[in-house]
Amino acid sequence: MEVLDVLNLGEIAQYFSKMAMFPVFDVAYYIVSILYLKYEPGAVEVSRKSPVASWLCAMLYCFGSYILADIMLGVSPIDYFHNNSHILLASAVWYLIFFCPLNLFYKCVAFLPVKLVLVAMKEVVRTRKIAAGVHHAHHAYHHGWLIMVITGYVKGSGVTLMSNFEQLLRGVWKPETNEVLNMSFPTKASLYGAILFTLQDAHLLPVSKSMLICLFTLFMASTKAFMTARHSHGSPFALIESWLCHLLFGSPLGTEDAHDHHHSAPAAVPLSPAKTKEELSEGTRKRKPKKAE
């Protein structure tokens, strides 16, 4: 305790939990979110053929969690769009990532050291959204623990829970990519985080909200940055989840599959998707004259 008193961790956590997210952290959130949109197959082509559809997809990537949470809580789904500064900022980021001359902005933010910083900053915003979602639901449903968990989960998961709808805007239909069936690490972490913040709001967790925000943010930022650096799409929860599911539900142990997936993911995901697409389109243009002959 003396060490904690000397370090003033309580005051640091209090300051960190009250730190404003706009505009610096929100910009990082928008950049990483729209960067992931550009990684999606066909997203670049859609931005050229239908900029409106591409812009709508970008807005879903940035504000999908607010839209879905508002629908669940009986609020207008377009309520968040009255924040003109946020909409303009996200739109500017979308334009720069997709249409900046020579792809300069994309190359800068996709540069790994810069991307790691942006990814960590995005997790700061994610944690705040989870905490805010649980707090909002707590005011509307004081003893509705399940509602609090679901709202925080939705706020943290973002557009992933609306991925099938977002894909339809790009003319893609892949129901097997449903996030509920195949949860990614951020989605699982949002669920676990929502449970922790719900327990804290119910005074069942002996820790202050500011300290919980600080600790959970450190976990999320460091883990996601590490996974991004290794180009890993696995989950640090995989081993524990596998054993618990085997114990409680009789599911087969999937440690080997998770291990293989963890190491095979980097090979399946191109490190520079935009460059690959440009090379493919360039190769197509070169083959066209041969066909004409």
Side-chain angles (χ1 to χ4, degrees):
M1 291 301 294
E2 292 181 359
V3 176
L4 296 180
D5 292 337
V6 171
L7 294 177
N8 290 325
L9 291 183
E11 294 182 7
I12 296 174
Q14 189 73 16
Y15 172 78
F16 180 78
S17 65
K18 294 182 178 180
M19 189 168 54
M21 295 291 99
F22 184 83
V24 178
F25 287 91
D26 283 330
V27 169
Y29 185 91
Y30 301 152
I31 290 174
V32 176
S33 297
I34 299 175
L35 197 61
Y36 288 155
L37 170 61
K38 189 168 185 176
Y39 288 168
E40 290 294 322
V44 175
E45 289 76 7
V46 170
S47 67
R48 301 299 188 271
K49 294 179 182 178
S50 179
V52 174
S54 177
W55 178 82
L56 286 173
C57 291
M59 295 304 102
L60 281 180
Y61 263 75
C62 294
F63 309 115
S65 58
Y66 297 102
I67 295 172
L68 194 55
D70 285 344
I71 292 174
M72 290 174 52
L73 295 175
V75 182
S76 172
I78 62 172
D79 182 67
Y80 192 81
F81 286 87
H82 79 277
N83 295 312
N84 297 325
S85 55
H86 287 268
I87 302 301
L88 290 174
L89 199 56
S91 299
V93 170
W94 163 77
Y95 185 85
L96 289 172
I97 287 180
F98 279 94
F99 302 104
C100 181
L102 302 178
N103 233 6
L104 289 177
F105 187 78
Y106 166 78
K107 292 176 181 177
C108 290
V109 297
F111 181 53
L112 187 57
V114 177
K115 184 179 178 181
L116 292 180
V117 174
L118 295 174
V119 165
M121 293 174 69
K122 178 181 179 179
E123 297 310 311
V124 176
V125 179
R126 189 195 304 276
T127 302
R128 293 293 189 88
K129 290 168 69 175
I130 296 172
V134 171
H135 183 72
H136 187 185
H138 177 68
H139 276 276
Y141 304 92
H142 297 289
H143 303 290
W145 290 1
L146 181 59
I147 298 175
M148 293 161 66
V149 170
I150 293 175
T151 307
Y153 169 56
V154 167
K155 278 286 187 78
S157 298
V159 74
T160 53
L161 297 177
M162 302 173 66
S163 58
N164 293 120
F165 176 72
E166 182 273 329
Q167 288 169 359
L168 285 177
L169 292 177
R170 293 187 283 112
V172 179
W173 174 243
K174 294 181 179 180
E176 69 276 4
T177 61
N178 190 310
E179 187 69 16
V180 178
L181 296 176
N182 303 289
M183 288 190 182
S184 60
F185 163 70
T187 306
K188 291 180 181 179
S190 297
L191 176 59
Y192 301 148
I195 293 173
L196 290 176
F197 281 104
T198 298
L199 292 175
Q200 196 282 328
D201 262 13
H203 305 290
L204 297 177
L205 199 63
V207 62
S208 66
K209 177 172 286 189
S210 59
M211 184 61 71
L212 183 58
I213 289 175
C214 187
L215 294 176
F216 194 75
T217 300
L218 286 175
F219 166 74
M220 290 294 296
S222 58
T223 304
K224 197 66 173 70
F226 178 76
M227 293 173 64
T228 302
R230 295 190 60 190
H231 304 285
S232 171
H233 290 232
S235 170
F237 308 123
L239 184 61
I240 299 175
E241 290 171 346
S242 178
W243 280 99
L244 284 177
C245 289
H246 177 71
L247 179 65
L248 298 176
F249 308 112
S251 304
L253 290 173
T255 53
E256 293 183 2
D257 294 338
H259 180 75
D260 292 341
H261 173 73
H262 176 77
H263 288 282
S264 63
V269 180
L271 298 183
S272 54
K275 184 177 179 181
T276 303
K277 292 169 186 173
E278 291 171 0
E279 290 174 352
L280 290 174
S281 60
E282 183 179 351
T284 304
R285 289 195 299 271
K286 289 181 179 178
R287 287 195 296 270
K288 283 183 179 179
K290 295 180 180 180
K291 291 181 180 180
E293 291 176 0

